[in-house]
Amino acid sequence: MEEGSVNRVSAIGNAAGPAAEWRRFIMTTTKLIELAVSMKKRAYCPYSGFAVGAALECSDGSVFTGCNIESASFSPTICAERAAAAKAVSEGHTDFLRIAVAGSGPDLCWPCGVCRQLLSEFSPDGSLRVIAVDGNGRWESATLAQLLPRAFGKHSIRCDSL
Ligand code: THU
């Protein structure tokens, strides 16, 4: 996973072979994880006490961060991934490449089902690389297609015009 030193052009130009998926990324994995971890400081989580940070990289190299935001009326709570996604889409970035999600517990912080569904909207082929991080900085990754197989999407409702 030697993706760290590539620039945007070579990342795209070298896209072939088994390591191609990693080469197209602009940030290092370590940096994206560090950003996600640092966003835990912004978490507003007085009810669960479980801080989550996210860092989302888009295909043009732009990165959007997010944290979880809880509500006293619990259901409006927003996960860190969806906070980051809302920032990206509202700034016009809708092609998601990679997201790091850092939790605060002993388990890797894989996105919840609702977040998987929303992320799928902006990675319809499921190639989004999801990096789950635990409270100690240990991480693993998987594609969104692995996390949400047979996803419901715009094809499912025959929105061909979208
Ligand atoms: N949470 C996230 O931010 N992302 C996830 O993928 C899982 C859960 C947040 C929501 C809530 O504020 C807290 O973690 C406990 O569920």
Side-chain angles (χ1 to χ4, degrees):
M1 292 179 215
E2 281 299 313
E3 79 277 24
S5 60
V6 297
N7 61 37
R8 183 175 168 200
V9 173
S10 66
I12 295 165
N14 289 341
E21 186 199 337
W22 289 98
R23 265 196 241 117
R24 70 200 165 114
F25 301 136
I26 296 160
M27 296 195 88
T28 63
T29 303
T30 303
K31 183 69 189 162
L32 201 67
I33 290 171
E34 281 173 4
L35 270 176
V37 169
S38 74
M39 284 304 290
K40 292 199 290 182
K41 292 196 292 282
R42 300 261 174 90
Y44 179 77
C45 53
Y47 307 106
S48 73
F50 189 81
V52 184
L56 169 65
E57 184 184 41
C58 299
S59 59
D60 63 354
S62 53
V63 175
F64 296 87
T65 56
C67 62
N68 53 334
I69 306 166
E70 297 184 347
S71 162
S73 171
F74 294 162
S75 57
T77 291
I78 303 172
C79 291
E81 301 92 308
R82 275 178 290 139
K87 286 165 73 175
V89 174
S90 60
E91 295 296 329
H93 300 264
T94 55
D95 187 19
F96 295 180
L97 273 193
R98 190 163 59 150
I99 187 167
V101 188
S104 299
D107 293 339
L108 297 168
C109 194
W110 295 108
C112 77
V114 173
C115 288
R116 292 179 197 200
Q117 184 66 43
L118 183 74
L119 293 170
S120 161
E121 188 69 30
F122 303 103
S123 177
D125 65 357
S127 64
L128 175 72
R129 176 59 60 177
V130 179
I131 302 164
V133 188
D134 72 13
N136 294 313
R138 187 178 67 88
W139 63 272
E140 289 179 20
S141 80
T143 64
L144 187 61
Q146 290 172 313
L147 300 178
L148 188 68
R150 303 184 193 192
F152 186 90
K154 64 177 74 166
H155 56 87
S156 312
I157 50 176
R158 294 199 169 86
C159 282
D160 295 333
S161 58
L162 292 178

